[in-house]
Amino acid sequence: MKFEAILFDCDGVLVDSEPLTLGVLQGMLAERGWNLSPDECERLFLGRQVRSQRALIEARTGQPLTDAWMDAFYARRNEALRTRLRAMPGAVQAAQAAHRLCGGRIACASGADRAKVELQLAKVGLLALFDGRIFSGHEMPATKPAPDVYLAAARHLRCAPERCLVIEDTTVGVTAGKAAGAIVWALCPEGAEQAEALRGHGADRLFASMAELPALLAPA
């Protein structure tokens, strides 16, 4: 089918931010006595807001999740992003191709806070391409896996959700895109276990690299 709009997740799709963000979180939780391996941290927090895991964090650390702690997390996270963030390989070219194909009807629909999304897109040279079409789950009644952020993006672009293509990389995001009624393609570079999880949550197509996307989008 010809998609009328293409809606991109940000973290892990456009930018390679997840190892940086999860690394900061892992370190700060260790400082509170909760020692997680990188794999455990990813399993518990990938694609989710930290605040959404408040009960778990408080139970495992024995300390409240305060605004001051969250502010410190955001500050350390943002410093890591400002100094070390890179685009996902092929993501800039993929976003440019989508923009051409859809006549500019693309959006970035993220579960992250707006400041983070804008910082990241600016860092990798994508902010101008998505300017005015950035949507944050923090500004919605509910964030991913709820569909709100994708529904808001589709509504802004005046496009029925079922005519939109969503590009995701996590089961949380795939669930959100499918709940919105969109077609969802999932970035899946890590093999059979990841593929099974993404398909199990409804992904319509898997691809291994953002560099593949322009060819996949090209009209037959």
Side-chain angles (χ1 to χ4, degrees):
M1 71 180 284
K2 182 181 184 299
F3 301 109
E4 294 180 3
I6 300 177
L7 316 178
F8 291 86
D9 178 42
C10 187
D11 297 284
V13 169
L14 296 174
V15 296
D16 193 14
S17 57
E18 289 164 339
L20 300 177
T21 299
L22 292 173
V24 169
L25 179 61
Q26 182 187 356
M28 291 185 66
L29 292 174
E31 290 169 5
R32 289 194 158 200
W34 186 15
N35 293 296
L36 289 165
S37 70
D39 287 346
E40 289 171 329
C41 193
E42 179 176 318
R43 178 176 57 81
L44 292 171
F45 294 100
L46 182 65
R48 296 177 172 87
Q49 290 182 9
V50 174
R51 289 185 191 274
S52 73
Q53 302 291 79
R54 176 188 297 274
L56 177 63
I57 292 171
E58 292 181 344
R60 297 301 299 267
T61 65
Q63 300 177 58
L65 189 69
T66 63
D67 288 343
W69 190 89
M70 287 301 306
D71 288 344
F73 167 70
Y74 290 141
R76 287 167 63 170
R77 177 202 71 184
N78 289 351
E79 179 60 21
L81 296 173
R82 273 191 293 267
T83 57
R84 296 156 55 200
L85 182 69
R86 298 290 182 269
M88 293 293 290
V92 172
Q93 295 81 2
Q96 291 169 340
H99 191 275
R100 289 192 300 270
L101 180 68
C102 294
R105 296 176 83 181
I106 65 172
C108 181
S110 172
D113 55 282
R114 177 173 293 274
K116 180 190 181 198
V117 176
E118 293 181 347
L119 181 159
Q120 294 183 139
L121 294 180
K123 172 72 175 176
V124 301
L126 282 172
L127 185 59
L129 201 63
F130 289 98
D131 190 33
R133 286 166 280 106
I134 297 170
F135 299 86
S136 165
H138 284 228
E139 298 168 0
M140 303 294 152
T143 192
K144 300 176 186 180
D148 302 37
V149 71
Y150 283 121
L151 292 173
R155 187 163 54 247
H156 177 83
L157 295 173
R158 299 182 180 179
C159 183
E162 60 269 21
R163 301 297 301 177
C164 295
L165 172 64
V166 162
I167 306 297
E168 269 289 352
D169 72 312
T170 67
T171 57
V172 172
V174 169
T175 299
K178 294 303 295 182
I183 301 297
V184 181
W185 292 1
L187 177 62
C188 180
E190 295 181 10
E193 185 175 349
Q194 183 189 33
E196 182 179 1
L198 291 166
R199 286 198 185 97
H201 284 76
D204 297 289
R205 184 172 194 166
L206 306 181
F207 60 102
S209 167
M210 289 298 287
E212 298 176 14
L213 196 55
L216 296 175
L217 292 172

